[in-house]
């Protein structure tokens, strides 16, 4: 494996990219903590990105893509290799009514989900309102199949275009992605764009829908604090014993399990379980990624001891040494 420093001339020098060496990643995540990347690269064109992806693959250099950092914990020791951020204008475009009703909206991978929700609803496109209040890039939202009680991004997805390891564009219909609860099997490493089939709606009513979803989130979640949203996926029915289901009257959410285990407010260093929502770990100034990992480990252990449910982490953790849980 070539180190980024040793190979940087070969990797970037002739490409239309901006490179930050030894770049802090913490401030680019919603947790606001964590270490550095050997190189944070901002490509200015799709061609530059494609060439970079192919070269990293050729040279065995780890490559990761950073969205809005809203579902991401970067380990304190940082990550080796290249991290790309799709923040140039060509990766943030939002094209409405690109191909009529079927593929009415095409959103680039680096576009902001919240702005996309506002823009589509304002233009009378119905279907993305349920994603209000979810901080994300389009690429990150598709990768995670982000959503909740009001629907997931995959529900309206028509097709997705990714760059594969060779830097080739692969377009795949939504039906081929095996979309499920926080699950999406992408045909390549990096989402370039996603297109959506949306309905028609009255912009005023759509905006009211957005406000309703946002109000629900604000009343139940610590939106103003530093977190990465829910730390754990909700358990499936078959992961919870009948006895526990009977005690809750239904399959409990991860937050309800943490809450009932008396863990709200549980703290380690600068990280703690939100007193407002049991599935959010929130941080105070000075917190480290290790604090967050310690809190999440203890929470998972105590919930397993008390209810026999193994909570599975939803938040993606980047460490210096792969393999890691998700990328
Ligand atoms: P990141 O956190 O930057 O990355 C997450 C993963 O996506 C990484 O593996 C990364 O490599 C990958 N990725 C990013 N961009 C791309 C790309 N272009 N191509 C391929 N892979 C990519 N989530 C929900 O589902 N529902 C909610 O209601 C919700 N509420 C939240 C509320 C708050 C306050 C916060 C902080 C988070 C919340 N989340 C929620 C979590 C988060 O918003 C989502 O998981 C979101 O989809 C993350 O998108 P991102 O762009 O920030 O991705
Ligand atoms: N609950 C408790 N105590 C808590 C938290 C929740 O008892 O501390 C109970 C609630 O009273 C409710 C149930 O658990 O009866 C579900 O709670 P909530 O409505 O808050 O939803 P959730 O299942 O915890 C899911 C998503 C959220 C999404 C919301 C709303 C997961 C892991 N989480 O949360 O997504 O915003 O629905 O749509 O699926 C995320 O994935 O990061 C995320 C924030």
């Amino acid at each position: 494996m070539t180190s980024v420093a040793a190979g940087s001339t070969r990797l970037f020098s002739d490409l239309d990219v901006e490179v930050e060496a030894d770049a802090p990643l913490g401030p680019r995540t919603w947790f606001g903590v964590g270490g550095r990347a050997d190189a944070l690269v901002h490509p200015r064109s799709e061609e530059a990105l494609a060439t970079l992806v192919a070269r990293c693959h050729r040279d065995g250099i780890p490559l990761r893509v950073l969205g809005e950092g809203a579902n991401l914990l970067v380990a304190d020791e940082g990550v080796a290799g290249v991290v790309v951020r799709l923040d140039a204008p060509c990766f943030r475009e939002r094209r409405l009514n690109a191909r009529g009703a079927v593929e009415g909206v095409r959103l680039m991978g680096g576009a902001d989900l919240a702005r996309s929700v506002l823009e589509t609803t304002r233009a009378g496109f119905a279907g993305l309102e349920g994603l209000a209040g979810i901080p994300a890039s389009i690429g990150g939202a598709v990768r995670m199949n982000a959503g909740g009680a009001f629907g997931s991004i995959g529900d309206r997805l028509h097709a997705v275009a990714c760059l594969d390891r060779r830097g080739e564009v692969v377009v795949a219909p939504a039906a081929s992605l095996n979309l499920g609860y926080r699950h999406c099997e992408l045909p390549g490493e990096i989402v370039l764009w996603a297109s959506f089939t949306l309905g028609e709606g009255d912009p005023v009513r759509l905006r009211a829908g957005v406000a309703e979803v946002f109000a629900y989130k604000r009343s139940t979640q610590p939106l103003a604090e530093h977190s990465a949203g829910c730390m754990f996926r909700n358990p499936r029915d078959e992961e919870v014993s009948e006895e526990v289901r009977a005690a809750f009257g239904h399959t409990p959410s991860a937050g309800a399990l943490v809450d009932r285990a008396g863990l709200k407010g549980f703290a380690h260093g600068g990280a703690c379980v939100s007193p407002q929502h049991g599935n959010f770990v929130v941080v105070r100034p000075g917190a480290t990624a290790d604090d967050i990992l310690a809190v999440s480990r203890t929470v998972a252990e105590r919930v397993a001891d008390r209810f026999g449910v193994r909570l599975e982490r939803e938040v993606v953790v980047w460490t210096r040494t792969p393999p890691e849980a998700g990328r």
Side-chain angles (χ1 to χ4, degrees), residues 212-235:
E212 205 179 306
V213 173
F214 197 72
Y216 177 76
K217 284 192 66 112
R218 205 174 30 214
S219 68
T220 54
Q221 300 177 1
L223 296 185
E225 299 203 52
H226 290 284
S227 78
C230 285
M231 179 55 77
F232 302 103
R233 299 155 57 93
N234 283 335

Side-chain angles (χ1 to χ4, degrees), residues 71 147-150 181-182 216-217 220-221 228-234 250 253-256 259 264 276-280 314:
N71 199 47
F150 310 95
Y181 171 62
R182 299 295 187 278
Y216 177 76
K217 284 192 66 112
T220 54
Q221 300 177 1
C230 285
M231 179 55 77
F232 302 103
R233 299 155 57 93
N234 283 335
H250 51 80
S253 66
D259 189 355
K264 275 181 165 176
Q276 191 181 352
H277 195 295
N279 201 5
F280 278 61
E314 175 184 314

Side-chain angles (χ1 to χ4, degrees), residues 84-219:
V84 290
R85 183 120 209 276
L86 307 183
D87 48 7
C90 62
F91 298 115
R92 299 186 77 105
E93 271 176 34
R94 300 184 293 274
R95 287 185 218 152
L96 269 50
N97 212 5
R99 282 203 214 156
V102 175
E103 208 189 357
V105 174
R106 182 181 287 196
L107 305 169
M108 298 303 284
D112 182 70
L113 176 65
R115 282 171 195 267
S116 306
V117 170
L118 286 182
E119 195 175 44
T120 49
T121 49
R122 202 179 290 141
F125 285 97
L128 297 184
E129 314 80 74
L131 306 175
I134 302 180
S137 63
I138 294 300
V142 170
R143 157 78 174 71
M144 301 305 305
N145 195 11
F150 310 95
S152 300
I153 195 164
D155 299 347
R156 293 299 189 140
L157 197 60
H158 175 71
V160 64
C162 287
L163 278 179
D164 69 12
R165 292 159 148 236
R166 296 161 304 155
E168 307 277 341
V169 178
V170 190
V171 179
S176 69
L177 304 178
N178 206 7
L179 287 158
Y181 171 62
R182 299 295 187 278
H183 183 81
C184 174
E185 291 166 20
L186 292 172
E189 308 287 281
I190 299 183
V191 175
L192 280 180
W193 56 256
S195 61
F196 298 87
T197 300
L198 301 181
E200 276 179 39
D202 167 25
V204 175
R205 293 179 74 155
L206 295 175
R207 289 297 290 275
V210 167
E212 205 179 306
V213 173
F214 197 72
Y216 177 76
K217 284 192 66 112
R218 205 174 30 214
S219 68

